[in-house]
Amino acid sequence: MVVQADLTDDEVDRIFRALADATRRDIVRRTLGGEASVSELASEYQMSFAAVQKHVAVLEGAGLVTKHPHGRERKVRGNPEAIRRAQALLDRYEQIWRTRIDKLDALLASDD
């Protein structure tokens, strides 16, 4: 059974691969609350600027953040719509499991 919430298989793979890393989840969290430059993001991590740029590139490839020029800097902004689409997918999976559990409960109750 395929459950997708308007996402292709490739989009689902990119989103959840991107969110599998704690640093990337933190970058998404920080940029959903307001945009930040890559330099501002990098200052919070014990890794190189280039490593943070790579994390941002993975997030951008998954559609979870966008980057745009702002003067000499590149600002990163979280994409709440991508998060909503991923949440819709998870909600559909949850509904499938709740339906299965309800059926199992009904089956066990009928044995009484």
Side-chain angles (χ1 to χ4, degrees):
M1 179 183 311
V2 177
V3 178
Q4 294 210 328
D6 302 326
L7 294 168
T8 68
D9 287 337
D10 286 341
E11 288 172 319
V12 171
D13 290 345
R14 281 193 303 270
I15 287 170
F16 287 103
R17 219 175 275 128
L19 293 173
D21 181 86
T23 299
R24 290 192 290 262
R25 287 191 306 272
D26 189 58
I27 290 169
V28 170
R29 179 192 58 76
R30 291 174 60 199
T31 59
L32 283 171
E35 65 183 20
S37 70
V38 177
S39 297
E40 290 168 334
L41 293 170
S43 71
E44 297 293 318
Y45 305 110
Q46 293 185 357
M47 63 181 71
S48 70
F49 177 84
V52 173
Q53 277 186 308
K54 287 180 182 179
H55 282 300
V56 170
V58 169
L59 291 168
E60 191 174 26
L64 293 166
V65 301
T66 58
K67 266 191 334 193
H68 63 280
H70 183 80
R72 292 176 28 187
E73 294 183 313
R74 303 281 295 170
K75 292 287 188 169
V76 180
R77 180 180 301 141
N79 180 358
E81 181 55 31
I83 300 297
R84 279 192 285 277
R85 291 172 71 196
Q87 182 62 50
L89 175 66
L90 293 173
D91 289 345
R92 286 186 177 172
Y93 280 119
E94 180 182 5
Q95 186 56 45
I96 289 169
W97 283 106
R98 287 186 183 279
T99 300
R100 288 180 180 178
I101 290 169
D102 290 346
K103 286 179 182 178
L104 182 59
D105 285 345
L107 181 64
L108 292 173
S110 70
D111 283 347
D112 292 342

